[in-house]
């Protein structure tokens, strides 16, 4: 696996495969890799000749400095995992490499997509996400970009970025990878105790019950109550929000329209760790 720390090195390396019309896939990550990330690499390998994985803890998408500081950075372990997976290229830049101008300004009109749910809870987060992803897209110029369904709102934001910038990139949404019990794999899980991980299973159980109720055509307000009651019944789990939304706009659904897809998404706090999960309801 080739490891590059500067944009110039990576750009020079990619000239040859691009000249040979090889397909290039990009998997952007913030490191602390687990099986979920490796599944993105696998999906990329099935679709492209060259897979570029980036590891960069992007400061502009954190609105809490403490969260940025606490974010895990086990880089040696990450490199080992990528090598074993057969990844072709790792891009490992510094903050100064990606943001040479500390006063750099960025804004993209995402409409309501960056104002609701995660956007409302973490103001500026999706502006930071699109800022770094656009830098990586411009640098790598991939044919394919692989993102995980777990951060569903982020995926919809990236899709909007691709549309706004008119980029010729195929966005591949890869399924959530879960533990045998159903916990969605996340870098943040490392901050949970074993008891905390067991408590976190309530998110999956709630989403599963919601999906069954949805498919039985139970009224949406009744499903909302079901979800809230299930979380409330679990001690030391604090619900931040639960919603059922149409997948593209992520606006809360008031009714079900034929031909549209819907997603249930949930955020809860356990042991001071903010956990997110979702499930497609009519996939």
């Amino acid at each position: 696996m080739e490891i590059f720390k500067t944009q110039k090195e990576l750009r020079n390396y990619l000239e040859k495969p691009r000249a040979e019309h090889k397909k290039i896939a990009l998997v952007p990550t913030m490191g602390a890799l687990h099986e979920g990330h490796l599944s993105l690499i696998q999906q990329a390998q099935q679709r492209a000749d060259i897979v570029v994985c980036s590891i960069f803890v992007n400061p502009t998408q954190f609105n809490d400095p403490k969260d940025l500081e606490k974010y895990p950075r086990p880089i040696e372990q990450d490199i080992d995992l990528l090598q074993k997976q057969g990844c072709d290229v790792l891009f490992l830049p510094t903050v100064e490499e990606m943001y040479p101008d500390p006063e750099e300004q960025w804004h993209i009109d995402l409409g309501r997509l960056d104002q609701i749910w995660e956007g409302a809870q973490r103001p500026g987060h999706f502006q930071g996400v699109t800022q770094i992803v656009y830098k990586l897209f411009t640098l790598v110029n991939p044919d394919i970009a692989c993102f995980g369904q777990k951060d569903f709102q982020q995926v919809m934001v990236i899709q909007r970025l691709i549309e706004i910038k008119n980029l010729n990139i195929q966005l591949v949404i890869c399924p959530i990878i879960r533990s045998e019990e159903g916990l969605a794999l996340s870098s943040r899980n490392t901050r949970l105790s074993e008891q905390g991980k067991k408590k976190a299973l309530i998110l999956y159980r709630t989403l599963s019950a919601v999906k069954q109720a949805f498919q039985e055509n139970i009224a949406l307000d009744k499903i909302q109550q079901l979800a809230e009651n299930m979380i409330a019944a679990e001690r030391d789990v604090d619900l931040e929000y639960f919603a059922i939304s149409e997948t593209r706009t992520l606006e809360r659904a008031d009714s079900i329209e034929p031909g549209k897809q819907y997603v249930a998404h949930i955020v809860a706090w356990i042991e001071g760790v903010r956990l997110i999960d979702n499930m497609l309801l009519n996939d």
Side-chain angles (χ1 to χ4, degrees):
M1 181 174 71
E2 301 284 349
I3 301 177
F4 301 114
K5 296 188 176 181
T6 70
Q7 297 188 54
K8 184 178 179 183
E9 288 174 323
L10 179 57
R11 197 176 284 115
N12 290 344
Y13 175 82
L14 292 175
E15 280 180 4
K16 186 170 183 284
R18 191 168 289 115
E20 294 170 351
H21 303 291
K22 289 186 175 176
K23 271 196 172 182
I24 299 170
L26 172 65
V27 181
T29 81
M30 294 209 300
L33 304 181
H34 49 67
E35 286 178 40
H37 295 105
L38 298 182
S39 75
L40 304 184
I41 302 291
Q42 291 164 7
Q43 294 272 355
Q45 288 171 326
Q46 292 169 19
R47 292 170 167 81
D49 305 301
I50 302 282
V51 176
V52 179
C53 176
S54 63
I55 293 179
F56 181 67
V57 182
N58 176 41
T60 68
Q61 68 191 69
F62 286 83
N63 51 349
D64 181 352
K66 289 181 182 175
D67 202 19
L68 173 61
E69 190 180 313
K70 286 189 291 189
Y71 202 87
R73 294 168 171 85
I75 189 58
E76 294 304 322
Q77 179 183 311
D78 288 349
I79 290 172
D80 185 53
L81 286 170
L82 288 173
Q83 286 177 327
K84 286 176 178 171
Q85 187 57 50
C87 186
D88 301 296
V89 178
L90 169 59
F91 181 49
L92 195 61
T94 62
V95 172
E96 292 73 24
E97 179 66 20
M98 297 312 293
Y99 295 102
D101 175 7
E103 303 300 317
E104 177 185 318
Q105 298 296 307
W106 167 269
H107 181 79
I108 186 169
D109 184 4
L110 297 165
R112 292 253 307 152
L113 261 183
D114 69 341
Q115 297 168 21
I116 56 177
W117 312 127
E118 291 302 284
Q121 299 298 326
R122 305 170 69 186
H125 170 68
F126 289 123
Q127 291 298 324
V129 169
T130 52
Q131 184 177 21
I132 190 60
V133 169
Y134 187 60
K135 283 175 180 281
L136 292 168
F137 281 173
T138 304
L139 170 64
V140 177
N141 191 20
D143 301 282
I144 295 161
C146 295
F147 286 82
Q149 180 195 320
K150 183 174 166 294
D151 295 297
F152 194 83
Q153 188 169 358
Q154 174 176 278
V155 176
M156 294 299 101
V157 163
I158 300 303
Q159 181 64 57
R160 189 77 189 104
L161 169 69
I162 289 171
E163 291 166 359
I164 290 170
K165 296 293 185 180
N166 197 27
L167 303 174
N168 188 23
I169 298 173
Q170 179 192 353
L171 179 63
V172 177
I173 305 172
C174 304
I176 297 172
I177 303 299
R178 300 182 180 276
S179 69
E180 285 185 19
E181 296 82 11
L183 180 62
L185 299 191
S186 167
S187 305
R188 293 172 188 264
N189 292 355
T190 58
R191 290 159 52 190
L192 292 172
S193 68
E194 287 307 308
Q195 186 181 15
K197 288 175 185 174
K198 286 179 182 174
K199 284 185 177 297
L201 294 175
I202 189 61
L203 273 67
Y204 177 67
R205 291 202 299 271
T206 300
L207 289 170
S208 299
V210 163
K211 181 166 185 170
Q212 183 175 342
F214 181 92
Q215 294 183 338
E216 291 172 359
N217 296 318
I218 291 173
L220 292 182
D221 59 339
K222 295 273 197 315
I223 298 178
Q224 181 78 26
Q225 197 62 57
L226 166 71
E228 291 174 2
N229 290 346
M230 286 186 71
I231 296 293
E234 188 74 30
R235 286 184 61 190
D236 302 320
V237 177
D238 296 316
L239 180 66
E240 188 174 294
Y241 67 78
F242 168 83
I244 292 176
S245 301
E246 189 270 323
T247 54
R248 286 292 298 211
T249 66
L250 287 185
E251 295 288 353
R252 185 189 289 276
D254 296 319
S255 59
I256 303 306
E257 296 180 40
K260 287 194 173 182
Q261 287 187 301
Y262 295 87
V263 61
H265 41 119
I266 191 169
V267 176
W269 289 83
I270 298 172
E271 297 180 339
V273 180
R274 187 175 188 268
L275 300 177
I276 70 173
D277 203 349
N278 69 78
M279 190 174 286
L280 293 170
L281 298 179
N282 52 346
D283 51 356

